Amino acid sequence: MKGKVLISVIMPVYNEEEHVRQAIDSILQQTFAHIELIVINDASTDRSEMQIRSFADERLVCVNNPLHAGNYKCRNQGARLAQGKYIAVMDADDIACPDRLEKQFHYLEKHPDVLAVGSDRIIMPGRVYNSYPHTYEEILFALLKDNAFVHSSMTMRANVFRHLGGYDEHFLYAADYDLACRLALSGQIVNLSEALVYYRLHQQQISQKHRKEQTACAAKIRQRYQQQFINRFRCDEQAAVGYPEVSASKIGRAIACYTYACYSGLEIHRQLAEEVFDEAISTVSAGMPLRLEQGLLGVATGLVYLLRNGFVKGDEDEVLAEIDNAFIVRLSSLTNKIGTPWYDLLYYVHLRLSHCSSASRRLSVLKLSQTAIYLLECIARSVQNGCCLSEREQTEIAWLHKQKLCPVTTFFLLSGRKTVCPVPFSSFCTKTARVAFLIPLRIDSQERKRNLDVVLAELIRMEEADIYILEADSFPRYRLSEHFPRIHYQFIADNNPVFHRTRYLNILLQKVDHDIVGIWDADVVVPQKQIRSAVHAIVAAQAVMAFPYDGRFCSLPSDVSEVCRGSFSFNVMKKLLQQMPLGQGFYSVGGAFFVHRQTYLRAGGENERFYGWGPEDVERVKRMEILGWPIYRVSGVLFHLYHPRNENSRYASKDLEKQNICELLRVCAMTRSELLHELELAIVQEREQEK
């Protein structure tokens, strides 16, 4: 080889017999002579090796791999053999312009602060000119979105390439993008504003054959670059970012642009940041996947970062209101299926709740706390079904445990156990299997009255059951269609517009003397077989509380409900089940349940702090769980007949809603000893009042 080698050109070849000769010839015919061309024949199975060896040029070094190694391994392999001051990239299906290496060599010699140089390209076939970002700053911003280099046009300093560790071979199909990102964060890189390479498009190239894999690799590289970009250019007061903040790439790019605008102090960069932010927000929809990675939670996490670091203005709760609502609604239908992104959901809850003190929590944050309790229940079911929590999931649960959001559940999740160990409870004796159905009532629509007629017609078929109806209103609105000796009706005058359902249930619980009671809504029907299974679980002392369905609370549409009021049939309902919405998700605890009456009263009975419509259904279940008493569920569905959502089916006011959610959170935060202490105090107070 004549002369000193200044540029080592590395060309991997794999089954490129059709193009490789033209590619090699374009390098050996360069106007710059001080080169070596290292060709790595990567176990080609066609005539590529014959084409390579047809050249009798001492500057060509050919290495034959016995086994196929892959594109970037070959490039690293060639770089280890390289003798030049510079390393130039060349693909076996492209063509270098005759003066490519000469122009890039002289540019790098004149600009010692530039680490690498590329160029524009001409696409074949068609000879279409394709321009790329040219200045270092343009490239910095372009890499936030995608690769900003024609890789086969790049020439870089060999010592820098080696210092960076060469190509990251984990990125099988996009390591060139990764290398460009690492170069850009190490120093200046530029593209010359002329085409120095002819780039060939064909179906056999990597970007065509492995487009899906390349896209996935590029997404990971983009996230890492955005994160490193932000952390490099952020000011001292700005918080560092991690993966979650850039998990949705568009919002991650906006954070990067705002960061650089603050770093440079230039108005042009601030305007760019606002444009990128507006573009990112314009694509957000509530239907996005509920996850961090390119999902709704990733967008929300990025928005929180922008708000808390002062890049965009606004009240966090107001800005995130729609996203929070989508989170709450969609989480209610969450199951414990494999692949659910538990970490993403936990991280978002942590992020939102960590910014508010418990004393000054707004209603929106209280709703998120309530939703987090359901999330923990879903995770607990998943663990009981064999799911293993990752270290980072456990870290998020540990944070919730410190917040006492639901310590009984979080303790179970952190304990490593796969099953909940119930606390032994005093065995109770049931004199008979007779059941009292308790139905507190306020008629606020004609549909609700007719629904109760259907419910009573179903329940009265159980010969061992008594039914107790307590109507509380300004005047009686419900009349039995006919006299039934086992249906007992009581009216209490109550002019308060808010129906205090828990209070009236406690009145009924004290009134009846049955061992087992079913607490029933006026609009729900359940097959008798399911009812009997739930009752049997309590009779057999298998549970203190039993639900006559498995959590599927099926809300019947208006037209179907109207048909049912005329002629109810469970067989018809079951056939239509797939078409009916599960308005309360897959694990509802509302509508109907059975308890052992005396044991339930020892547990506090109904919590009368819940005033009006609210989350008392969840609270009573959480009390059983905190006490460690078993809960039983029967396989099957509960059907809910349609009625308009009037005053008794929603919160009477925002203040009352907040009060009721706060009570749920208060109880859920208790340990078993704390709850037992509160129950003992309540008994003492009750005895003193009786005196």
Side-chain angles (χ1 to χ4, degrees):
M1 185 177 293
K2 296 180 180 179
K4 182 179 180 181
V5 174
L6 295 175
I7 300 178
S8 296
V9 183
I10 300 170
M11 181 191 297
V13 178
Y14 179 66
N15 290 347
E16 287 287 353
E17 64 176 352
E18 185 178 349
H19 307 121
V20 67
R21 184 173 181 83
Q22 201 172 10
I24 292 174
D25 192 56
S26 73
I27 293 298
L28 297 179
Q29 297 300 321
Q30 288 287 304
T31 57
F32 188 82
H34 300 286
I35 67 168
E36 63 175 347
L37 172 58
I38 302 172
V39 178
I40 309 294
N41 179 27
D42 194 24
S44 295
T45 57
D46 63 358
R47 298 191 304 159
S48 292
E49 183 181 356
M50 184 181 73
Q51 298 284 11
I52 296 165
R53 295 201 178 276
S54 68
F55 290 90
D57 192 313
E58 61 180 2
R59 295 174 300 169
L60 189 152
V61 179
C62 181
V63 177
N64 287 306
N65 285 344
L67 298 174
H68 183 64
N71 185 32
Y72 296 112
K73 284 189 176 182
C74 288
R75 295 187 191 278
N76 282 335
Q77 181 183 355
R80 289 191 290 271
L81 300 173
Q83 301 178 49
K85 180 180 179 180
Y86 301 107
I87 290 175
V89 180
M90 188 63 193
D91 288 346
D93 53 354
D94 293 338
I95 301 171
C97 293
D99 55 355
R100 172 204 161 180
L101 297 179
E102 182 177 4
K103 288 182 175 179
Q104 291 183 326
F105 173 81
H106 289 305
Y107 186 90
L108 289 168
E109 288 290 298
K110 290 178 182 178
H111 301 86
D113 54 340
V114 173
L115 307 184
V117 59
S119 75
D120 293 343
R121 68 180 178 179
I122 296 173
I123 297 176
M124 302 183 297
R127 300 180 65 87
V128 177
Y129 193 96
N130 198 193
S131 183
Y132 273 69
H134 297 129
T135 69
Y136 175 47
E137 196 170 76
E138 289 173 341
I139 291 170
L140 274 174
F141 283 110
L143 289 170
L144 293 167
K145 193 173 184 180
D146 207 346
N147 201 348
F149 277 89
V150 183
H151 195 49
S152 59
S153 77
M154 181 182 278
T155 298
M156 67 198 105
R157 299 183 186 276
N159 61 337
V160 173
F161 176 85
R162 294 188 177 103
H163 176 73
L164 292 176
Y167 295 93
D168 186 337
E169 296 172 8
H170 290 98
F171 297 118
L172 293 176
Y173 303 109
D176 53 329
Y177 180 20
D178 171 69
L179 178 62
C181 291
R182 287 185 286 131
L183 283 166
L185 292 172
S186 300
Q188 292 192 50
I189 55 177
V190 299
N191 278 314
L192 301 182
S193 56
E194 58 180 312
L196 296 179
V197 66
Y198 288 86
Y199 182 86
R200 197 187 305 272
L201 285 177
H202 59 90
Q203 292 302 312
Q204 297 307 309
Q205 62 192 153
I206 290 175
S207 60
Q208 299 297 322
K209 291 176 66 176
H210 302 284
R211 183 173 295 277
K212 184 177 179 180
E213 296 91 337
Q214 188 179 60
T215 299
C217 285
K220 293 180 181 179
I221 294 163
R222 185 181 303 110
Q223 286 171 356
R224 187 165 76 175
Y225 175 69
Q226 288 180 354
Q227 183 178 340
Q228 292 172 341
F229 180 103
I230 295 164
N231 288 332
R232 175 184 168 181
F233 291 109
R234 68 186 175 91
C235 60
D236 293 339
E237 297 78 18
Q238 183 181 340
V241 297
Y243 155 73
E245 286 76 26
V246 298
S247 55
S249 60
K250 289 184 178 180
I251 205 75
R253 183 169 165 241
I255 295 172
C257 290
Y258 274 113
T259 299
Y260 196 84
C262 184
Y263 168 82
S264 71
L266 297 178
E267 177 65 17
I268 189 172
H269 292 143
R270 187 189 65 81
Q271 291 176 357
L272 173 64
E274 290 178 353
E275 290 173 7
V276 172
F277 175 74
D278 289 343
E279 179 189 348
I281 293 302
S282 68
T283 61
V284 177
S285 73
M288 293 174 69
L290 195 64
R291 63 178 187 232
L292 288 172
E293 183 76 24
Q294 307 302 343
L296 192 62
L297 300 185
V299 172
T301 301
L303 277 172
V304 168
Y305 182 90
L306 289 168
L307 288 163
R308 293 182 185 177
N309 286 276
F311 290 123
V312 298
K313 304 298 181 184
D315 180 276
E316 185 175 309
D317 290 343
E318 292 177 3
V319 171
L320 295 175
E322 290 188 26
I323 293 178
D324 284 347
N325 185 60
F327 178 80
I328 291 168
V329 170
R330 292 169 64 183
L331 202 64
S332 68
S333 60
L334 188 68
T335 64
N336 57 356
K337 65 180 181 181
I338 296 173
T340 302
W342 299 126
Y343 169 75
D344 298 15
L345 302 169
L346 288 164
Y347 181 87
Y348 185 65
V349 166
H350 180 174
L351 180 70
R352 293 286 284 120
L353 299 186
S354 64
H355 202 56
C356 305
S357 65
S358 57
S360 61
R361 282 183 177 178
R362 296 184 180 183
L363 178 58
S364 58
V365 181
L366 291 173
K367 287 182 177 180
L368 278 173
S369 299
Q370 181 181 357
T371 302
I373 291 171
Y374 179 76
L375 171 60
L376 289 170
E377 291 173 356
C378 287
I379 297 174
R381 283 190 290 269
S382 179
V383 168
Q384 290 171 330
N385 287 342
C387 172
C388 293
L389 297 176
S390 68
E391 184 176 344
R392 62 180 187 172
E393 288 166 344
Q394 290 179 328
T395 299
E396 296 301 327
I397 292 170
W399 183 86
L400 291 173
H401 187 70
K402 288 181 181 178
Q403 309 310 306
K404 293 196 70 176
L405 184 70
C406 196
V408 170
T409 305
T410 51
F411 178 79
F412 160 69
L413 291 172
L414 295 171
S415 68
R417 298 199 305 262
K418 294 296 182 184
T419 58
V420 179
C421 299
V423 175
F425 62 97
S426 312
S427 86
F428 43 75
C429 176
T430 54
K431 294 177 248 182
T432 68
R434 288 191 64 79
V435 178
F437 289 95
L438 312 182
I439 306 176
L441 180 65
R442 178 167 287 185
I443 298 293
D444 57 4
S445 68
Q446 188 63 25
E447 287 87 349
R448 178 156 264 176
K449 178 182 181 299
R450 295 173 63 201
N451 289 348
L452 182 56
D453 290 339
V454 175
V455 172
L456 293 177
E458 285 297 316
L459 294 181
I460 202 65
R461 292 170 55 213
M462 291 187 63
E463 295 180 358
E464 68 275 30
D466 293 304
I467 302 168
Y468 292 81
I469 302 170
L470 191 160
E471 183 178 13
D473 208 337
S474 54
F475 62 88
R477 300 174 191 267
Y478 183 75
R479 292 184 183 278
L480 291 168
S481 57
E482 58 182 291
H483 175 71
F484 294 98
R486 290 185 288 112
I487 297 181
H488 311 275
Y489 172 86
Q490 177 184 2
F491 174 77
I492 295 179
D494 184 355
N495 293 318
N496 195 318
V498 177
F499 183 55
H500 200 165
R501 186 173 187 271
T502 52
R503 175 171 172 261
Y504 294 123
L505 275 172
N506 277 337
I507 290 174
L508 288 170
L509 282 165
Q510 295 291 349
K511 179 179 180 178
V512 302
D513 61 356
H514 299 63
D515 290 332
I516 301 170
V517 297
I519 294 179
W520 226 255
D521 283 0
D523 310 281
V524 300
V525 285
V526 180
Q528 262 199 49
K529 181 180 179 181
Q530 293 172 214
I531 290 176
R532 294 186 186 281
S533 294
V535 170
H536 175 75
I538 296 177
V539 171
Q542 295 175 332
V544 170
M545 176 180 284
F547 288 90
Y549 68 110
D550 53 23
R552 289 176 292 164
F553 186 110
C554 185
S555 299
L556 304 184
S558 176
D559 56 342
V560 176
S561 296
E562 187 60 35
V563 172
C564 290
R565 294 184 192 109
S567 176
F568 190 83
S569 168
F570 283 111
N571 290 332
V572 173
M573 293 304 98
K574 290 176 181 178
K575 289 178 181 178
L576 296 173
L577 188 58
Q578 297 299 322
Q579 306 169 27
M580 299 178 189
L582 296 176
Q584 299 185 33
F586 292 89
Y587 301 104
S588 171
V589 289
F593 67 96
F594 293 93
V595 288
H596 183 263
R597 187 177 68 90
Q598 287 296 335
T599 307
Y600 187 57
L601 287 172
R602 289 203 305 272
E606 289 291 292
N607 185 344
E608 293 185 25
R609 291 190 180 94
F610 289 105
Y611 184 52
W613 194 83
E616 70 273 12
D617 291 335
V618 176
E619 184 270 349
R620 66 171 70 95
V621 172
K622 299 311 291 184
R623 244 187 304 146
M624 296 299 104
E625 291 177 356
I626 292 169
L627 291 170
W629 292 350
I631 299 170
Y632 186 85
R633 277 195 181 275
V634 175
S635 178
V637 182
L638 176 146
F639 296 97
H640 180 271
L641 296 166
Y642 168 82
H643 63 87
R645 292 291 172 178
N646 294 325
E647 290 80 1
N648 295 319
S649 302
R650 58 174 181 261
Y651 287 106
S653 68
K654 293 294 182 184
D655 288 340
L656 195 54
E657 181 178 8
K658 185 174 181 179
Q659 173 186 313
N660 283 346
I661 295 176
C662 282
E663 176 60 17
L664 170 66
L665 297 177
R666 186 189 72 83
V667 173
C668 288
M670 289 184 177
T671 61
R672 185 171 189 270
S673 59
E674 289 170 340
L675 178 56
L676 286 172
H677 179 67
E678 181 171 292
L679 294 174
E680 288 170 3
L681 286 177
I683 293 172
V684 171
Q685 291 173 359
E686 184 179 341
R687 287 172 180 169
E688 289 178 351
Q689 289 173 358
E690 289 175 355
K691 292 179 182 178

